[in-house]
Amino acid sequence: MRPIRPARVERPERQVRSESPSRRTVLAVTAAAGAASVGTAATATAAEEAGPGTRPPATAQPPSRELRALLREIDAGRIEATVRKLVSFGTRHTLSTQDDPERGIGAARDWILAEMRSYAAASGGRMTAELQSYVQEPAPRIPTATRITNVVATLRGSVTPERVYVVSGHYDSRVTDVMDATSDSPGADDDASGVAVAMELARVMATRRPASTIVFAAVAGEEQGLYGAAHMAARFKAAGTDVQGMFTNDIVGASRADDGTRDPYTIRLFAEGVPTSETPEQAATRRSVGGENDSPSRQLARFVRDTADNTATGMRVRVVYRRDRYRRGGDHIPFLEQGYAAARFTEPAEDFAHQHQDVRVEDGKQYGDLPEFCDFPFTARVARVNAAALWTLAQAPAAPRDAKILTAALTNATQLVWTRGSEPDLAGYEVVWRETTAPEWTHVVPVGDVTSHEVDLSKDNVFFGIRAVGRTGLRSPVSFPSPQT
């Protein structure tokens, strides 16, 4: 039976651009509607673009015609073919053979590289694909020195190439015994599905010209301890690469939970609050003024909701305020450790009989991570969520740098300052704010092409943010200002 898509709720009333707020207006709004959204003119359109059963945040950005065309090219059939091809290598365990042309992680690596290079051939020289290897000395789950290799395709930006966004999946797999490198380990959902997302995005975007650089990666060593992603993140950090956002797609292949229920139109996005890389000084500031819910990764997650929770993707983005699931970890964590904003996509409810399991039948029940348990149209929609967020990130201006709240004087107004970006299409900035108890930005105020703005609201009572606006109307993620005396 075809699954029934959740019914749409009534559209919210069209919203109008917020005037510069004052203490009087905010008291009136709060009394009338709590934290009701008063958004930009774009929000009115975004309300009509909202996904099933959702109300868009004030900062929502409806998809452009260009983005809609890109999303239509994402092909569930190609995603299925990629997953099945990866499964055909028998096992992709990190410790499996690397020199057999048909079986093992080496065969998978070589096939992924060949595919990425075929996409790059259509890019007019803008995309390159390469192997990124190192030898991991003996360590937990690595009994002997082992070569670990990531496959990395880089689509260089045409305007601000120094700004980088990363999307990944891991191509290694495992069975019940994490050290079993010889048994069949299909790894269809975990994580051929995530690799298929990254590869499909590379294929679709290779023929386009993003303003900023996008990296599409298939990493190894995840099941043994996030080794491949840690190597990639460390290389970016050592090179001083300005990675402004990273998404890992890990277990994004199925919409059916262990009890048989299905949720094919929701994807979870895990985003940490307190930054993994937070310094003692930053922690002291956070404890003083708040911000536990305003890390760069949380702003990145809000941006995904703004750009990808709509009818163009057909998905609801369920942001989860955690770094990852209980007792689990993913390839976004090494990026968090290096101080980069990163988040993890994972299907809405997992079926653990089809993860980390020997392929077998017990009491009539099939175990094992096999492609027959995947939902490929669902994975294609996950790819569209990734594409909507990545493409908008790459085309919009960067989030404002050096965002500060001036605190030298004790007043009931709030003075915000920031550094102007250098993008040629930068049009100006917007100040956003919300109640301290609200999860998403509820108010947006356009302030023009300036680097400071005073709001007639107390910084003690609400949270503020700043975002950049491009000439085409695309908005950056929000920067959360820190106090400056």
Side-chain angles (χ1 to χ4, degrees):
M1 179 180 294
R2 185 175 179 179
I4 298 174
R5 186 166 177 164
R8 291 181 64 128
V9 298
E10 292 185 5
R11 294 171 179 166
E13 294 182 1
R14 296 182 67 87
Q15 298 169 333
V16 298
R17 181 177 296 275
S18 175
E19 300 298 331
S20 185
S22 67
R23 286 185 290 278
R24 176 173 296 187
T25 59
V26 81
L27 286 172
V29 169
T30 302
S37 173
V38 181
T40 63
T43 306
T45 304
E48 299 179 2
E49 297 291 342
T54 64
R55 180 187 180 104
T59 46
Q61 302 190 55
S64 65
R65 181 178 300 176
E66 175 188 48
L67 177 55
R68 285 181 177 275
L70 186 156
L71 298 180
R72 284 194 295 269
E73 291 184 26
I74 292 172
D75 188 337
R78 285 182 175 271
I79 287 173
E80 178 177 0
T82 296
V83 170
R84 292 188 181 278
K85 181 64 177 179
L86 290 170
V87 169
S88 76
F89 295 113
T91 179
R92 304 187 308 276
H93 195 283
T94 297
L95 305 178
S96 64
T97 179
Q98 298 197 21
D99 54 11
D100 187 316
E102 296 182 355
R103 182 179 177 86
I105 196 166
R109 170 202 65 209
D110 294 345
W111 179 79
I112 294 169
L113 177 63
E115 287 294 296
M116 291 293 209
R117 283 180 171 168
S118 73
Y119 308 153
S123 72
R126 294 184 301 278
M127 178 184 280
T128 58
E130 62 183 355
L131 298 180
Q132 184 186 86
S133 297
Y134 81 105
V135 175
Q136 175 62 51
E137 296 301 325
R141 296 186 176 183
I142 304 288
T144 60
T146 301
R147 180 168 295 278
I148 293 178
T149 302
N150 303 324
V151 186
V152 180
T154 303
L155 180 59
R156 184 173 174 81
S158 59
V159 180
T160 50
E162 69 282 356
R163 215 168 88 213
V164 176
Y165 301 95
V166 180
V167 60
S168 78
H170 70 85
Y171 71 100
D172 60 306
S173 63
R174 61 165 288 188
V175 288
T176 305
D177 180 358
V178 72
M179 302 304 290
D180 180 352
T182 58
S183 296
D184 279 352
S185 178
D189 192 7
D190 186 11
D191 184 37
S193 65
V195 174
V197 166
M199 292 179 67
E200 182 66 359
L201 296 185
R203 183 188 72 83
V204 169
M205 293 187 184
T207 58
R208 291 173 163 83
R209 294 178 178 271
S212 300
T213 297
I214 305 176
V215 174
F216 311 88
V219 303
E222 193 272 350
E223 300 289 6
Q224 305 310 110
L226 314 180
Y227 288 105
H231 178 69
M232 181 167 58
R235 282 187 54 158
F236 280 134
K237 193 68 173 182
T241 306
D242 185 17
V243 177
Q244 295 202 5
M246 183 271 183
F247 301 112
T248 187
N249 288 266
D250 195 350
I251 312 178
V252 294
S255 60
R256 187 183 299 274
D258 53 2
D259 64 357
T261 58
R262 294 190 64 215
D263 187 0
Y265 300 105
T266 300
I267 185 67
R268 289 184 293 176
L269 181 60
F270 288 85
E272 71 174 12
V274 176
T276 295
S277 62
E278 185 179 69
T279 66
E281 293 76 15
Q282 291 168 335
T285 298
R286 175 181 51 77
R287 286 192 294 268
S288 174
V289 302
E292 293 84 357
N293 197 21
D294 283 283
S295 66
S297 295
R298 290 278 166 89
Q299 306 303 348
L300 187 64
R302 291 186 178 108
F303 184 89
V304 174
R305 170 101 206 274
D306 285 347
T307 58
D309 189 324
N310 51 49
T311 57
T313 66
M315 292 291 273
R316 180 177 79 95
V317 179
R318 180 180 182 178
V319 177
V320 182
Y321 286 165
R322 287 195 172 100
R323 188 171 76 167
D324 212 315
R325 301 145 304 151
Y326 279 95
R327 300 176 57 196
R328 309 290 286 277
D331 288 322
H332 59 308
I333 293 176
F335 281 79
L336 296 171
E337 291 170 344
Q338 296 292 350
Y340 295 129
R344 172 189 179 132
F345 287 107
T346 297
E347 62 201 30
E350 300 167 69
D351 187 341
F352 302 106
H354 306 306
Q355 297 176 21
H356 297 186
Q357 293 281 351
D358 293 338
V359 179
R360 67 194 191 279
V361 176
E362 285 186 6
D363 299 325
K365 180 179 176 65
Q366 177 70 63
Y367 289 82
D369 192 353
L370 298 162
E372 64 202 67
F373 299 109
C374 290
D375 178 347
F376 299 110
F378 167 79
T379 306
R381 288 191 292 274
V382 174
R384 292 187 185 103
V385 168
N386 278 259
L390 282 166
W391 188 254
T392 311
L393 284 166
Q395 298 295 79
R401 295 186 183 273
D402 305 317
K404 304 288 184 184
I405 287 183
L406 302 187
T407 60
L410 296 177
T411 73
N412 281 319
T414 301
Q415 184 74 29
L416 300 161
V417 299
W418 58 93
T419 299
R420 190 183 190 280
S422 59
E423 295 91 348
D425 66 338
L426 180 64
Y429 294 89
E430 293 173 338
V431 168
V432 301
W433 63 275
R434 71 181 198 273
E435 294 291 327
T436 61
T437 53
E440 298 188 66
W441 302 109
T442 55
H443 294 69
V444 181
V445 181
V447 299
D449 191 0
V450 297
T451 57
S452 67
H453 184 74
E454 183 173 288
V455 185
D456 189 21
L457 290 175
S458 173
K459 54 190 167 291
D460 297 328
N461 296 339
V462 299
F463 284 136
F464 288 99
I466 306 148
R467 67 177 183 175
V469 183
R471 289 176 186 164
T472 62
L474 294 179
R475 270 79 171 168
S476 75
V478 169
S479 291
F480 186 69
S482 57
Q484 175 175 294
T485 58

